[in-house]
Amino acid sequence: MSDIVASGEKKQEIFHTDPSSPIKLHTGEEVYPVKITWGVESRAFRIVGRVLRTLPHLAKLDFAHITPADLVTTVFPSLLESAPDAVTELTAVLLGKYKEGVIPRVADLAWVEEHLDTADIVRVILPFSKVFSGKLADLIAQLPQPVGKAQS
């Protein structure tokens, strides 16, 4: 997939990979993602976990024989209901957008909804997802391999 997409007459990067440089929003405004720390990652885990909890029926689906009708009737309604709020909250967390003076820190969802569009949200979330999945793969690769059965 190309990292450049035509946007009118100018081209724009879709995958933001440098946390020290700003992400340019469709409005022309520039925002910086926060430094990814355990606090940010743990908030992201909780957000994704809430979405997954809304899909308990997934355990009952036979993924080897799933049909489009199964997706439309069982998966999509719950996902479409919970995912937008989760994506909005995750974006706010990754941009460090919190309501001023509120303890504990509460993500400023209204700011995200009023300032970003879908392409902006992808530019924020995708690099985090890519880095996180890379970290996870690296950690899994470092796990000790199970020892085979002892020969008799």
Side-chain angles (χ1 to χ4, degrees):
M1 179 179 268
S2 171
D3 285 352
I4 306 290
V5 66
S7 174
E9 290 187 17
K10 61 182 183 177
K11 291 187 176 186
Q12 184 175 25
E13 289 187 30
I14 18 182
F15 302 124
H16 183 269
T17 55
D18 181 4
S20 64
S21 66
I23 298 171
K24 190 168 187 168
L25 303 180
H26 76 283
T27 60
E29 182 178 357
E30 293 182 341
V31 294
Y32 287 84
V34 297
K35 178 182 175 189
I36 302 300
T37 63
W38 172 242
V40 171
E41 289 175 332
S42 65
R43 285 183 191 97
F45 294 151
R46 286 191 291 273
I47 293 165
V48 172
R50 282 197 312 265
V51 171
L52 294 177
R53 266 197 311 278
T54 68
L55 306 170
H57 48 277
L58 286 181
K60 299 173 188 168
L61 287 177
D62 178 4
F63 285 97
H65 301 98
I66 196 164
T67 67
D70 292 332
L71 290 174
V72 170
T73 60
T74 59
V75 178
F76 287 165
S78 297
L79 190 58
L80 292 174
E81 195 170 293
S82 62
D85 291 337
V87 167
T88 303
E89 185 176 1
L90 180 57
T91 302
V93 167
L94 293 175
L95 291 176
K97 296 295 182 182
Y98 295 97
K99 292 182 180 177
E100 293 295 322
V102 177
I103 304 292
R105 294 174 72 186
V106 176
D108 190 349
L109 308 182
W111 186 92
V112 173
E113 291 171 344
E114 293 166 7
H115 290 85
L116 281 70
D117 66 5
T118 302
D120 295 332
I121 288 172
V122 169
R123 282 188 209 97
V124 172
I125 291 178
L126 197 59
F128 169 78
S129 301
K130 188 176 178 181
V131 168
F132 174 74
S133 62
K135 281 184 189 178
L136 192 56
D138 290 346
L139 289 172
I140 290 171
Q142 293 176 29
L143 290 174
Q145 297 300 314
V147 179
K149 289 184 180 181
Q151 294 181 356
S152 351

PDB file of all heavy atoms in Angstrom, residues 26-48:
ATOM      1  N   HIS A  26      -6.916  17.498   8.463  1.00  0.00           N
ATOM      2  CA  HIS A  26      -7.571  17.969   7.240  1.00  0.00           C
ATOM      3  C   HIS A  26      -7.885  19.454   7.300  1.00  0.00           C
ATOM      4  O   HIS A  26      -8.039  20.105   6.276  1.00  0.00           O
ATOM      5  CB  HIS A  26      -8.835  17.142   6.967  1.00  0.00           C
ATOM      6  CG  HIS A  26      -9.988  17.498   7.858  1.00  0.00           C
ATOM      7  ND1 HIS A  26     -10.069  17.079   9.165  1.00  0.00           N
ATOM      8  CD2 HIS A  26     -11.079  18.250   7.623  1.00  0.00           C
ATOM      9  CE1 HIS A  26     -11.181  17.547   9.699  1.00  0.00           C
ATOM     10  NE2 HIS A  26     -11.818  18.263   8.793  1.00  0.00           N
ATOM     11  N   THR A  27      -7.949  20.019   8.497  1.00  0.00           N
ATOM     12  CA  THR A  27      -8.249  21.443   8.673  1.00  0.00           C
ATOM     13  C   THR A  27      -7.007  22.318   8.518  1.00  0.00           C
ATOM     14  O   THR A  27      -7.109  23.531   8.513  1.00  0.00           O
ATOM     15  CB  THR A  27      -8.807  21.691  10.087  1.00  0.00           C
ATOM     16  OG1 THR A  27      -7.817  21.277  11.042  1.00  0.00           O
ATOM     17  CG2 THR A  27     -10.110  20.943  10.312  1.00  0.00           C
ATOM     18  N   GLY A  28      -5.828  21.654   8.434  1.00  0.00           N
ATOM     19  CA  GLY A  28      -4.579  22.394   8.382  1.00  0.00           C
ATOM     20  C   GLY A  28      -3.930  22.515   9.752  1.00  0.00           C
ATOM     21  O   GLY A  28      -2.758  22.850   9.869  1.00  0.00           O
ATOM     22  N   GLU A  29      -4.695  22.256  10.810  1.00  0.00           N
ATOM     23  CA  GLU A  29      -4.164  22.292  12.174  1.00  0.00           C
ATOM     24  C   GLU A  29      -3.154  21.156  12.343  1.00  0.00           C
ATOM     25  O   GLU A  29      -3.293  20.091  11.743  1.00  0.00           O
ATOM     26  CB  GLU A  29      -5.320  22.113  13.161  1.00  0.00           C
ATOM     27  CG  GLU A  29      -4.930  22.184  14.609  1.00  0.00           C
ATOM     28  CD  GLU A  29      -6.150  22.043  15.529  1.00  0.00           C
ATOM     29  OE1 GLU A  29      -7.292  21.950  15.049  1.00  0.00           O
ATOM     30  OE2 GLU A  29      -5.915  22.014  16.747  1.00  0.00           O
ATOM     31  N   GLU A  30      -2.125  21.385  13.155  1.00  0.00           N
ATOM     32  CA  GLU A  30      -1.135  20.354  13.431  1.00  0.00           C
ATOM     33  C   GLU A  30      -1.248  19.913  14.879  1.00  0.00           C
ATOM     34  O   GLU A  30      -1.387  20.741  15.783  1.00  0.00           O
ATOM     35  CB  GLU A  30       0.272  20.873  13.140  1.00  0.00           C
ATOM     36  CG  GLU A  30       0.499  21.138  11.667  1.00  0.00           C
ATOM     37  CD  GLU A  30       1.917  21.613  11.371  1.00  0.00           C
ATOM     38  OE1 GLU A  30       2.616  22.084  12.298  1.00  0.00           O
ATOM     39  OE2 GLU A  30       2.314  21.509  10.199  1.00  0.00           O
ATOM     40  N   VAL A  31      -1.208  18.594  15.100  1.00  0.00           N
ATOM     41  CA  VAL A  31      -1.252  18.022  16.444  1.00  0.00           C
ATOM     42  C   VAL A  31      -0.098  17.041  16.589  1.00  0.00           C
ATOM     43  O   VAL A  31       0.392  16.496  15.601  1.00  0.00           O
ATOM     44  CB  VAL A  31      -2.590  17.302  16.727  1.00  0.00           C
ATOM     45  CG1 VAL A  31      -3.747  18.283  16.755  1.00  0.00           C
ATOM     46  CG2 VAL A  31      -2.850  16.193  15.723  1.00  0.00           C
ATOM     47  N   TYR A  32       0.347  16.868  17.823  1.00  0.00           N
ATOM     48  CA  TYR A  32       1.430  15.927  18.109  1.00  0.00           C
ATOM     49  C   TYR A  32       0.887  14.750  18.907  1.00  0.00           C
ATOM     50  O   TYR A  32       0.166  14.952  19.888  1.00  0.00           O
ATOM     51  CB  TYR A  32       2.533  16.604  18.930  1.00  0.00           C
ATOM     52  CG  TYR A  32       3.354  17.576  18.146  1.00  0.00           C
ATOM     53  CD1 TYR A  32       2.925  18.886  17.960  1.00  0.00           C
ATOM     54  CD2 TYR A  32       4.558  17.185  17.573  1.00  0.00           C
ATOM     55  CE1 TYR A  32       3.683  19.785  17.231  1.00  0.00           C
ATOM     56  CE2 TYR A  32       5.323  18.081  16.841  1.00  0.00           C
ATOM     57  CZ  TYR A  32       4.878  19.380  16.679  1.00  0.00           C
ATOM     58  OH  TYR A  32       5.633  20.255  15.942  1.00  0.00           O
ATOM     59  N   PRO A  33       1.248  13.528  18.517  1.00  0.00           N
ATOM     60  CA  PRO A  33       0.852  12.388  19.347  1.00  0.00           C
ATOM     61  C   PRO A  33       1.666  12.407  20.637  1.00  0.00           C
ATOM     62  O   PRO A  33       2.756  12.977  20.674  1.00  0.00           O
ATOM     63  CB  PRO A  33       1.216  11.174  18.492  1.00  0.00           C
ATOM     64  CG  PRO A  33       2.239  11.663  17.528  1.00  0.00           C
ATOM     65  CD  PRO A  33       1.995  13.137  17.337  1.00  0.00           C
ATOM     66  N   VAL A  34       1.117  11.814  21.690  1.00  0.00           N
ATOM     67  CA  VAL A  34       1.834  11.758  22.961  1.00  0.00           C
ATOM     68  C   VAL A  34       2.921  10.690  22.895  1.00  0.00           C
ATOM     69  O   VAL A  34       2.888   9.795  22.051  1.00  0.00           O
ATOM     70  CB  VAL A  34       0.887  11.441  24.145  1.00  0.00           C
ATOM     71  CG1 VAL A  34      -0.141  12.539  24.319  1.00  0.00           C
ATOM     72  CG2 VAL A  34       0.231  10.087  23.985  1.00  0.00           C
ATOM     73  N   LYS A  35       3.873  10.790  23.821  1.00  0.00           N
ATOM     74  CA  LYS A  35       4.875   9.743  23.964  1.00  0.00           C
ATOM     75  C   LYS A  35       4.141   8.495  24.449  1.00  0.00           C
ATOM     76  O   LYS A  35       3.321   8.563  25.368  1.00  0.00           O
ATOM     77  CB  LYS A  35       5.927  10.175  24.990  1.00  0.00           C
ATOM     78  CG  LYS A  35       6.972   9.135  25.246  1.00  0.00           C
ATOM     79  CD  LYS A  35       7.950   9.615  26.298  1.00  0.00           C
ATOM     80  CE  LYS A  35       8.931   8.506  26.626  1.00  0.00           C
ATOM     81  NZ  LYS A  35       9.756   8.835  27.772  1.00  0.00           N
ATOM     82  N   ILE A  36       4.401   7.372  23.807  1.00  0.00           N
ATOM     83  CA  ILE A  36       3.711   6.140  24.176  1.00  0.00           C
ATOM     84  C   ILE A  36       4.386   5.545  25.418  1.00  0.00           C
ATOM     85  O   ILE A  36       5.528   5.113  25.379  1.00  0.00           O
ATOM     86  CB  ILE A  36       3.709   5.122  23.015  1.00  0.00           C
ATOM     87  CG1 ILE A  36       3.054   5.733  21.771  1.00  0.00           C
ATOM     88  CG2 ILE A  36       3.017   3.834  23.430  1.00  0.00           C
ATOM     89  CD1 ILE A  36       1.615   6.162  21.954  1.00  0.00           C
ATOM     90  N   THR A  37       3.643   5.573  26.509  1.00  0.00           N
ATOM     91  CA  THR A  37       4.103   5.041  27.782  1.00  0.00           C
ATOM     92  C   THR A  37       3.160   3.926  28.200  1.00  0.00           C
ATOM     93  O   THR A  37       2.121   3.702  27.553  1.00  0.00           O
ATOM     94  CB  THR A  37       4.081   6.133  28.862  1.00  0.00           C
ATOM     95  OG1 THR A  37       2.714   6.555  29.041  1.00  0.00           O
ATOM     96  CG2 THR A  37       4.946   7.323  28.485  1.00  0.00           C
ATOM     97  N   TRP A  38       3.480   3.262  29.287  1.00  0.00           N
ATOM     98  CA  TRP A  38       2.588   2.217  29.774  1.00  0.00           C
ATOM     99  C   TRP A  38       1.200   2.805  30.098  1.00  0.00           C
ATOM    100  O   TRP A  38       0.179   2.175  29.861  1.00  0.00           O
ATOM    101  CB  TRP A  38       3.159   1.528  31.016  1.00  0.00           C
ATOM    102  CG  TRP A  38       2.160   0.601  31.634  1.00  0.00           C
ATOM    103  CD1 TRP A  38       1.623   0.696  32.872  1.00  0.00           C
ATOM    104  CD2 TRP A  38       1.539  -0.530  31.011  1.00  0.00           C
ATOM    105  NE1 TRP A  38       0.696  -0.306  33.077  1.00  0.00           N
ATOM    106  CE2 TRP A  38       0.633  -1.072  31.938  1.00  0.00           C
ATOM    107  CE3 TRP A  38       1.641  -1.128  29.768  1.00  0.00           C
ATOM    108  CZ2 TRP A  38      -0.150  -2.188  31.673  1.00  0.00           C
ATOM    109  CZ3 TRP A  38       0.855  -2.249  29.495  1.00  0.00           C
ATOM    110  CH2 TRP A  38      -0.020  -2.763  30.437  1.00  0.00           C
ATOM    111  N   GLY A  39       1.148   4.017  30.605  1.00  0.00           N
ATOM    112  CA  GLY A  39      -0.147   4.637  30.896  1.00  0.00           C
ATOM    113  C   GLY A  39      -1.008   4.762  29.652  1.00  0.00           C
ATOM    114  O   GLY A  39      -2.203   4.462  29.673  1.00  0.00           O
ATOM    115  N   VAL A  40      -0.409   5.186  28.550  1.00  0.00           N
ATOM    116  CA  VAL A  40      -1.145   5.316  27.285  1.00  0.00           C
ATOM    117  C   VAL A  40      -1.548   3.934  26.779  1.00  0.00           C
ATOM    118  O   VAL A  40      -2.690   3.713  26.374  1.00  0.00           O
ATOM    119  CB  VAL A  40      -0.293   6.064  26.231  1.00  0.00           C
ATOM    120  CG1 VAL A  40      -0.952   6.023  24.864  1.00  0.00           C
ATOM    121  CG2 VAL A  40      -0.049   7.499  26.672  1.00  0.00           C
ATOM    122  N   GLU A  41      -0.593   2.995  26.819  1.00  0.00           N
ATOM    123  CA  GLU A  41      -0.902   1.644  26.337  1.00  0.00           C
ATOM    124  C   GLU A  41      -1.999   0.994  27.168  1.00  0.00           C
ATOM    125  O   GLU A  41      -2.909   0.372  26.615  1.00  0.00           O
ATOM    126  CB  GLU A  41       0.360   0.771  26.359  1.00  0.00           C
ATOM    127  CG  GLU A  41       1.365   1.170  25.305  1.00  0.00           C
ATOM    128  CD  GLU A  41       2.664   0.393  25.393  1.00  0.00           C
ATOM    129  OE1 GLU A  41       3.036  -0.061  26.496  1.00  0.00           O
ATOM    130  OE2 GLU A  41       3.318   0.250  24.356  1.00  0.00           O
ATOM    131  N   SER A  42      -1.950   1.166  28.489  1.00  0.00           N
ATOM    132  CA  SER A  42      -2.965   0.533  29.334  1.00  0.00           C
ATOM    133  C   SER A  42      -4.349   1.134  29.082  1.00  0.00           C
ATOM    134  O   SER A  42      -5.351   0.411  29.079  1.00  0.00           O
ATOM    135  CB  SER A  42      -2.585   0.620  30.815  1.00  0.00           C
ATOM    136  OG  SER A  42      -2.564   1.953  31.255  1.00  0.00           O
ATOM    137  N   ARG A  43      -4.410   2.441  28.846  1.00  0.00           N
ATOM    138  CA  ARG A  43      -5.703   3.049  28.489  1.00  0.00           C
ATOM    139  C   ARG A  43      -6.213   2.468  27.175  1.00  0.00           C
ATOM    140  O   ARG A  43      -7.400   2.171  27.026  1.00  0.00           O
ATOM    141  CB  ARG A  43      -5.584   4.562  28.389  1.00  0.00           C
ATOM    142  CG  ARG A  43      -5.508   5.257  29.713  1.00  0.00           C
ATOM    143  CD  ARG A  43      -5.463   6.782  29.540  1.00  0.00           C
ATOM    144  NE  ARG A  43      -5.127   7.417  30.780  1.00  0.00           N
ATOM    145  CZ  ARG A  43      -3.903   7.823  31.124  1.00  0.00           C
ATOM    146  NH1 ARG A  43      -2.895   7.680  30.292  1.00  0.00           N
ATOM    147  NH2 ARG A  43      -3.684   8.382  32.294  1.00  0.00           N
ATOM    148  N   ALA A  44      -5.307   2.294  26.215  1.00  0.00           N
ATOM    149  CA  ALA A  44      -5.690   1.719  24.916  1.00  0.00           C
ATOM    150  C   ALA A  44      -6.214   0.300  25.098  1.00  0.00           C
ATOM    151  O   ALA A  44      -7.227  -0.070  24.496  1.00  0.00           O
ATOM    152  CB  ALA A  44      -4.502   1.736  23.954  1.00  0.00           C
ATOM    153  N   PHE A  45      -5.555  -0.502  25.937  1.00  0.00           N
ATOM    154  CA  PHE A  45      -6.011  -1.875  26.189  1.00  0.00           C
ATOM    155  C   PHE A  45      -7.428  -1.874  26.756  1.00  0.00           C
ATOM    156  O   PHE A  45      -8.272  -2.676  26.351  1.00  0.00           O
ATOM    157  CB  PHE A  45      -5.102  -2.594  27.190  1.00  0.00           C
ATOM    158  CG  PHE A  45      -3.710  -2.845  26.704  1.00  0.00           C
ATOM    159  CD1 PHE A  45      -2.664  -2.905  27.613  1.00  0.00           C
ATOM    160  CD2 PHE A  45      -3.419  -3.031  25.360  1.00  0.00           C
ATOM    161  CE1 PHE A  45      -1.367  -3.139  27.191  1.00  0.00           C
ATOM    162  CE2 PHE A  45      -2.125  -3.261  24.936  1.00  0.00           C
ATOM    163  CZ  PHE A  45      -1.105  -3.319  25.852  1.00  0.00           C
ATOM    164  N   ARG A  46      -7.680  -0.978  27.719  1.00  0.00           N
ATOM    165  CA  ARG A  46      -9.013  -0.932  28.327  1.00  0.00           C
ATOM    166  C   ARG A  46     -10.080  -0.549  27.311  1.00  0.00           C
ATOM    167  O   ARG A  46     -11.183  -1.102  27.309  1.00  0.00           O
ATOM    168  CB  ARG A  46      -9.021   0.028  29.516  1.00  0.00           C
ATOM    169  CG  ARG A  46      -8.308  -0.535  30.742  1.00  0.00           C
ATOM    170  CD  ARG A  46      -8.555   0.301  31.984  1.00  0.00           C
ATOM    171  NE  ARG A  46      -7.925   1.602  31.953  1.00  0.00           N
ATOM    172  CZ  ARG A  46      -6.682   1.854  32.335  1.00  0.00           C
ATOM    173  NH1 ARG A  46      -5.923   0.879  32.787  1.00  0.00           N
ATOM    174  NH2 ARG A  46      -6.191   3.069  32.289  1.00  0.00           N
ATOM    175  N   ILE A  47      -9.755   0.372  26.436  1.00  0.00           N
ATOM    176  CA  ILE A  47     -10.717   0.799  25.410  1.00  0.00           C
ATOM    177  C   ILE A  47     -11.033  -0.366  24.478  1.00  0.00           C
ATOM    178  O   ILE A  47     -12.201  -0.668  24.210  1.00  0.00           O
ATOM    179  CB  ILE A  47     -10.165   2.006  24.624  1.00  0.00           C
ATOM    180  CG1 ILE A  47     -10.069   3.228  25.536  1.00  0.00           C
ATOM    181  CG2 ILE A  47     -11.021   2.292  23.400  1.00  0.00           C
ATOM    182  CD1 ILE A  47      -9.209   4.355  24.974  1.00  0.00           C
ATOM    183  N   VAL A  48     -10.005  -1.033  23.986  1.00  0.00           N
ATOM    184  CA  VAL A  48     -10.209  -2.173  23.075  1.00  0.00           C
ATOM    185  C   VAL A  48     -10.939  -3.297  23.809  1.00  0.00           C
ATOM    186  O   VAL A  48     -11.837  -3.934  23.259  1.00  0.00           O
ATOM    187  CB  VAL A  48      -8.868  -2.655  22.487  1.00  0.00           C
ATOM    188  CG1 VAL A  48      -9.042  -3.946  21.705  1.00  0.00           C
ATOM    189  CG2 VAL A  48      -8.269  -1.565  21.598  1.00  0.00           C
TER     190      VAL A  48
END
